Amino acid sequence: MSKKLSIIIPTFNEQNTVELILLKIKQVKLIENVEKEIIIVDDCSNDNTPESINKFKTTNPDILLKVLRHEKNKGKGAAIHTGIFEANGDFIIIQDADTEYDPNEYNLLLKPMLDGYADVVYGSRFVGGKPHRVLFFFHTIGNKFLTFISNLFTGINISDMETCYKLFKKEVIKPLVLKEKRFGFEPEVTAKISKIKNIRIYEVGISYYGRTYEEGKKIGWKDGVRAIYCILKYNLF
């Protein structure tokens, strides 16, 4: 029996990259004949993102692509919540609409799950020998600090809690009641999966083609402060 991977793409003002990432996903051939389902959630973009998405959908009718739109900007986490609710796949992965993460590496995350070892797989930017763009020193320190604090409270030992690439079995992620509407999704979901009895969490090394703020990066220091709050909130209360 074939399996399906639901690829959730939360999108906000990514007119320059959204078609490119959709094309990259289209070209990926998944292992063991896993099928792809793309769910793109436009979080009320006010640029040409909707037109770019519709153009791709029109010119690629063979792709299973579901397009959803929030009529009010709610945040990345809220877009992910919508995507998870709509997903029909056996496995669910998060994909940013920029080009920082490479869809060709889906198979790296799928392998331990398809081999029967994992229920959740994180793609870590900090392990392995994959390409990694050298950018902001304090971002790296901040990411590692947030991961350390998260590990301290969850009791698990991951190397990159803030990574976009998180792959879940549907039966793990769909029952979770997720509340964070912005970038707090990462610490919240990590805290909640860590509490699942006998959960098997793996991580694999992935590439990271980071971008600057001039190139469209959106996360800032306030999101880091919120992440600390979320780590405490969802682990202690």
Side-chain angles (χ1 to χ4, degrees):
M1 184 179 296
S2 63
K3 299 286 187 178
K4 182 183 290 184
L5 173 67
S6 294
I7 303 159
I8 297 172
I9 312 176
T11 308
F12 176 68
N13 287 355
E14 296 289 1
Q15 63 181 15
N16 295 326
T17 58
V18 67
E19 277 189 89
L20 178 57
I21 201 66
L22 287 168
L23 181 61
K24 284 177 175 285
I25 293 170
K26 176 185 176 179
Q27 294 171 341
V28 172
K29 184 173 178 58
L30 299 177
I31 56 176
E32 298 190 25
N33 296 315
V34 175
E35 299 175 351
K36 287 174 287 191
E37 171 190 59
I38 306 172
I39 302 172
I40 190 160
V41 184
D42 178 17
D43 194 31
C44 197
S45 295
N46 52 33
D47 64 357
N48 290 325
T49 295
E51 290 78 7
S52 296
I53 295 170
N54 288 332
K55 178 184 173 184
F56 178 87
K57 186 173 184 179
T58 300
T59 56
N60 295 273
D62 55 321
I63 299 299
L64 182 54
L65 172 60
K66 184 181 295 186
V67 181
L68 306 168
R69 178 174 168 86
H70 290 166
E71 293 307 317
K72 178 181 178 182
N73 181 258
K74 299 179 181 180
K76 179 180 179 179
I80 293 173
H81 301 168
T82 298
I84 292 171
F85 180 80
E86 294 288 338
N88 295 311
D90 303 280
F91 317 113
I92 297 173
I93 194 169
I94 315 301
Q95 169 72 59
D96 283 347
D98 53 47
T99 54
E100 291 190 329
Y101 293 83
D102 184 0
N104 286 299
E105 296 180 344
Y106 291 161
N107 287 326
L108 295 177
L109 286 89
L110 279 168
K111 190 173 189 311
M113 199 168 281
L114 290 170
D115 286 346
Y117 294 112
D119 303 308
V120 178
V121 182
Y122 278 32
S124 173
R125 296 165 290 178
F126 303 128
V127 298
K130 299 290 183 179
H132 184 114
R133 184 177 179 183
V134 176
L135 277 174
F136 308 110
F137 172 75
F138 286 108
H139 275 204
T140 301
I141 294 299
N143 280 335
K144 292 185 176 181
F145 174 73
L146 291 174
T147 297
F148 171 78
I149 297 297
S150 176
N151 288 345
L152 190 65
F153 286 98
T154 61
I156 60 178
N157 185 31
I158 58 176
S159 64
D160 190 5
M161 180 270 293
E162 290 283 344
T163 182
C164 164
Y165 271 4
K166 293 178 171 70
L167 173 68
F168 308 93
K169 286 184 175 179
K170 67 176 180 181
E171 56 265 31
V172 170
I173 190 66
K174 276 189 168 281
L176 294 184
V177 178
L178 298 168
K179 299 180 180 179
E180 291 300 311
K181 294 185 177 181
R182 284 183 52 79
F183 294 99
F185 168 82
E186 318 294 356
E188 180 190 9
V189 76
T190 301
K192 289 182 174 179
I193 63 168
S194 72
K195 292 180 169 63
I196 299 173
K197 187 176 180 180
N198 298 322
I199 192 75
R200 300 172 301 170
I201 305 171
Y202 275 65
E203 65 177 6
V204 297
I206 59 168
S207 308
Y208 181 62
Y209 302 92
R211 59 180 179 170
T212 65
Y213 286 102
E214 290 76 14
E215 294 168 333
K217 194 171 188 66
K218 298 180 177 70
I219 194 168
W221 68 268
K222 291 182 180 179
D223 297 300
V225 174
R226 178 70 185 184
I228 295 174
Y229 168 80
C230 291
I231 290 169
L232 298 174
K233 176 180 179 180
Y234 296 110
N235 282 288
L236 295 180
F237 306 106

